[in-house]
Amino acid sequence: MVDILLATYNGELYVRQQIESILQQTFSDFRLYIRDDGSTDLTVDIINQINDDRIIFIKDDKICKSSGLNFKELLQHSTSEYVFFADQDDYWCKDKISRTLSYIDKSDRPKLVYCNGYVTDEKLEGNNVLVYDNKKNLVKIKDFLFFNGGIQGCALCVNRNLIDLIDFNNTHWYMHDQVLSFYAAAYGEIEFIDIPLFYYRQHE
């Protein structure tokens, strides 16, 4: 079983397409946890229209006003051995989960695996630019310090051993990817998949 965490906020234009790309994965044994952070558009209505038993829509009264804190709330609902993170406006290739799992083998060590992706416009066009345009693997803490705040959450998967290390109460939490990257670089191992497995949508 795999958990996928999707944090939403005013994402009505793209959230359905992203959810559908996740539901169409070749690997199907997952739970998709979605938590909305107080959207004022049709995001919640769209989520409620999608009927799939793998979707778990978390409803509470907390307003985080931060995607990083929204993902923090989602993380504390997750229990699976492997956890993926999804941005509401991206689009996943059908084999994103299956390919990533083949790299994050069962290990006693905390581990983070991240993949490449296509940088696109709002219509998912213009995929001639990669998210990571060099093959340098971020594996040491000194690399992390100069790597723009960590590996992008939408590109990564972590194992339970890494999550169990995190002190949720005493860790400064700005963005989830920053925290996860730091813990992996300091205490675990990191592996890079130089294969584009998602479309990273950019907006005007």
Side-chain angles (χ1 to χ4, degrees):
M1 177 67 73
V2 166
D3 288 344
I4 304 167
L5 310 184
L6 173 58
T8 63
Y9 176 72
N10 285 353
E12 65 179 5
L13 294 179
Y14 309 109
V15 70
R16 181 187 296 275
Q17 192 175 30
Q18 169 66 311
I19 292 174
E20 289 176 349
S21 78
I22 294 172
L23 296 177
Q24 293 168 10
Q25 290 291 298
T26 56
F27 181 94
S28 61
D29 187 20
F30 63 80
R31 295 174 296 200
L32 174 58
Y33 287 91
I34 305 175
R35 184 183 180 278
D36 188 74
D37 197 29
S39 290
T40 56
D41 64 359
L42 296 176
T43 297
V44 173
D45 292 334
I46 292 169
I47 294 169
N48 286 328
Q49 290 168 7
I50 302 173
N51 185 23
D52 193 292
D53 291 339
R54 292 170 293 178
I55 296 176
I56 301 171
F57 190 22
I58 297 169
K59 300 176 182 179
D60 56 41
D61 296 326
K62 297 179 182 178
I63 300 296
C64 297
K65 297 184 178 180
S66 160
S67 61
L69 292 177
N70 196 354
F71 276 111
K72 181 181 180 181
E73 292 293 330
L74 279 162
L75 260 174
Q76 294 176 85
H77 288 273
S78 169
T79 58
S80 291
E81 179 64 24
Y82 303 110
V83 180
F84 290 77
F85 301 81
D87 288 353
Q88 64 181 0
D89 57 347
D90 290 342
Y91 186 88
W92 286 17
C93 300
K94 289 185 177 181
D95 57 348
K96 185 176 191 290
I97 296 177
S98 60
R99 279 186 177 267
T100 301
L101 290 178
S102 69
Y103 283 80
I104 192 163
D105 53 354
K106 292 185 177 180
S107 170
D108 292 334
R109 295 205 66 195
K111 188 167 184 179
L112 180 154
V113 172
Y114 69 108
C115 64
N116 220 330
Y118 298 110
V119 179
T120 74
D121 62 15
E122 293 167 332
K123 298 179 181 179
L124 296 179
E125 297 174 349
N127 60 355
N128 58 340
V129 177
L130 297 177
V131 174
Y132 300 103
D133 59 0
N134 61 67
K135 296 184 179 181
K136 178 177 176 60
N137 194 358
L138 175 65
V139 295
K140 297 180 180 179
I141 191 67
K142 67 179 180 64
D143 300 320
F144 165 82
L145 295 174
F146 298 96
F147 199 71
N148 191 31
I151 300 163
Q152 289 169 295
C154 56
L156 62 81
C157 172
V158 298
N159 65 7
R160 179 58 47 184
N161 290 326
L162 180 63
I163 295 172
D164 287 344
L165 283 177
I166 299 174
D167 183 347
F168 283 93
N169 294 322
N170 297 304
T171 298
H172 173 69
W173 199 287
Y174 176 64
M175 290 298 292
H176 60 292
D177 39 18
Q178 184 183 53
V179 174
L180 293 165
S181 298
F182 174 80
Y183 271 91
Y187 303 113
E189 58 186 41
I190 297 173
E191 188 169 355
F192 175 51
I193 309 171
D194 195 17
I195 303 171
L197 296 178
F198 68 104
Y199 292 82
Y200 183 57
R201 201 187 310 252
Q202 297 294 283
H203 307 276
E204 291 184 359

